[in-house]
Amino acid sequence: MSNTGEQDVDKKQRKQLRFSAIYLVVALLGMWLFQVLIFQPLLLEAQEVPYSVFRSDVAAGHVKEVTIGQERIFFTLYDQGDPTAPADLPLQRAGMTYNTVPVPDDQLIQDLLAAGVTFRAEPPDSGLLTNLLGWFIPVLPFALIWYYFYRRLGRGGSNILSIGKSKAKEITGEMSGITFANIGGLDEVAVELKEIISFLKSPERFTRLGAKLPKGVLLVGPPGTGKTLLAKATAGEAGVPFFSISGSDFVEMFVGVGAARVRDLFEQAKKKAPCIVFVDEIDAIGQSRATVGALHTNDEREQTLNQLLSEMDGFAPNQGVVIIAATNRPEVLDPALLRPGRFDRQIQVPLPTEKGRRQILGIHTRNMPLAEDVNLDRIAQITAGFSGADLANIVNEAALLASRRDAAQVTMADFDLAIERVVAGLQRSLPLKEEVKRKVAYHESGHALVAALLPDTDPVHKVSIIPTAKGALGYTLQVPEEDQYLVSETELKQRMAVLTGGRAAELLVFGEASTGAANDLQRATEMARRMVTEFGMTEALGPVHYLADAGMGYLGQRAVLRPELSPETETLIDREIRRLVEEAQQTALNLLREHESALHQIAAMLQEREVINGEEVLRIVAEHQHQP
Ligand code: ATP
């Protein structure tokens, strides 16, 4: 379905492009025809000759008529049958009209009079036409280019005349129809915003007592946690207009446009006060000048940021404009933005807890016919770490799966498959050789068996050797029992053992590893790196934090080591990371060796059925443990 949609858009764009190209060709052809059909004949009709020829023709008495223009002189010789024609008239030129470029010549009029030539000045009309052509033709290409850009920008939602205008979309709160009832799992965050709502509803209550409300509120949290939704709901609850713009909209190709947009946005907002201005992705303009670095200074961004700061300073706190900004990279923001009187109130919007996920699922399935077997509590339980947007996506995916089956209701199986799709990506049919399939089966069985054998890892939910669109040839899906806020050293080591379990199984069974373990190794190494440099979990390096503050990773951004570290320490860090990963792989190898018969059985079952679930893995492990 979506494929057809994309094709349609593609077709439309191609059509528009073709239209523009045809338009240009037709315009150029038109210009050329204009030149050839109208302009050229005027000149072609009369052959151009040197002024001296004209003068000698006048002197010889061959010229009958002359029209004197500013840029040209047209003259016609006597016709052959004309009774007044001179006897020596050159017959081959008789009756011809010529043109010549005038030369300053005071004598000309007297000579024409003396020769009895009829002469006149060029009528003003034809001058106008020439003049018109004279300016129209050079201007035409510029007009065409201008029109072309005008259309292109116009299609993008603005046009060249309003390039400095803010792109903020105004939706009134009531129209957006969004309230806190549409948001799940963010009750505490909503409480913090309630104060702003009551201020917007009745500002007098606050101003009477001289209270000042924050001008700016910064919502900080991972992507998809509902920051935009919160800002909309705040406007909706207060019943005030809602302006929304994204930081990247401010940054245009023309310097100064961003600043003009900020000015315009605040002008509009002040007119509609009380209102809410929502700036999404504020980090696009508000990035710290220090972190951007001297090599990457960006005038446009800086001007826009300065304009935003001065606008925020320029209106009084009781003017009724509240700015809500959102970012998932608070650490890169310029400190100037976070000063009192600007975005001095920060509200964290975290990933939802299990209870929150249950609420979000409830909201999104509100109008959906669910089958009896759908257990939203269970879905909330197995989706730890998912954002609100992920959950909305799962619900939508499940509904799509059900409608593809032409079913009247959405079932639990639809949800299960939808979760897998969000985690692992779509299934892909990829014809694999038996030998490759066998390797993948052992690799995944290795992960699953190690996970099943170690006590402090997340339970295995499903093991599959069906390739996915995300590029994996198979996957082992583990789902946590509950939200985890703290992870112990033992748990981290066991997770690393599970990650290296796939490679360990390949080593055990085939005597060598394959490229399939690259991603596992990357994740295990990253875990080891954090254990060593951030969590102080090794004897050799002690309880020391080795990362530079500026690069501190928030939300999984890469961290950098402190620059002043000695080369010895860096070498030691590398060595410790390697030791941890090697130990994890050894743990996995030992476990698999010990339970080799279970490994073979799981792998055989996988090869046969392609997908097996967590309970089956546990059953096989239990059976083999009871065998003598
Ligand atoms: P980003 O940082 O990527 O801009 P965001 O935090 O602004 O993301 P939203 O755009 O508000 O996230 O959320 C995207 C969608 O996810 C919403 O339209 C909504 O369908 C769903 N969603 C996210 N969080 C929630 C929530 N707490 N309750 C209900 N739905 C949610």
Side-chain angles (χ1 to χ4, degrees), residues 45 88 97 100 108 111 163 220 246 324 392 417 486 493 501 508 545 570 576 624:
E45 225 176 82
D88 60 346
T97 299
T100 186
L108 178 66
D111 288 350
I163 219 162
V220 177
S246 171
I324 300 183
L417 204 56
L486 277 181
K493 284 186 170 165
L508 185 69
H545 189 92
E570 288 187 9
E576 284 297 283
H624 284 264

Side-chain angles (χ1 to χ4, degrees), residues 14-146:
R14 248 184 285 143
K15 225 171 162 183
Q16 276 174 345
L17 254 175
R18 212 178 309 138
F19 174 76
S20 302
I22 291 173
Y23 179 80
L24 258 169
V25 171
V26 168
L28 286 173
L29 215 72
M31 276 167 61
W32 179 74
L33 274 176
F34 193 74
Q35 273 261 1
V36 169
L37 296 180
I38 300 182
F39 199 61
Q40 298 276 43
L42 282 180
L43 293 175
L44 281 180
E45 225 176 82
Q47 190 195 336
E48 186 174 331
V49 291
Y51 191 73
S52 56
V53 172
F54 165 58
R55 281 309 252 141
S56 57
D57 277 338
V58 172
H62 298 158
V63 177
K64 187 177 183 202
E65 272 177 24
V66 172
T67 304
I68 304 170
Q70 287 205 331
E71 289 169 13
R72 297 268 163 187
I73 294 174
F74 291 89
F75 65 97
T76 309
L77 302 192
Y78 280 101
D79 223 342
Q80 207 181 347
D82 196 328
T84 52
D88 60 346
L89 182 72
L91 290 183
Q92 69 278 22
R93 296 176 60 214
M96 300 270 278
T97 299
Y98 296 94
N99 86 79
T100 186
V101 180
V103 171
D105 183 350
D106 297 337
Q107 202 47 44
L108 178 66
I109 303 298
Q110 275 171 13
D111 288 350
L112 289 175
L113 285 169
V117 177
T118 315
F119 64 94
R120 67 176 82 84
E122 197 175 52
D125 282 15
S126 60
L128 184 68
L129 180 68
T130 320
N131 273 344
L132 272 178
L133 291 178
W135 70 258
F136 184 68
I137 288 173
V139 160
L140 197 63
F142 291 104
L144 282 172
I145 291 167
W146 182 82

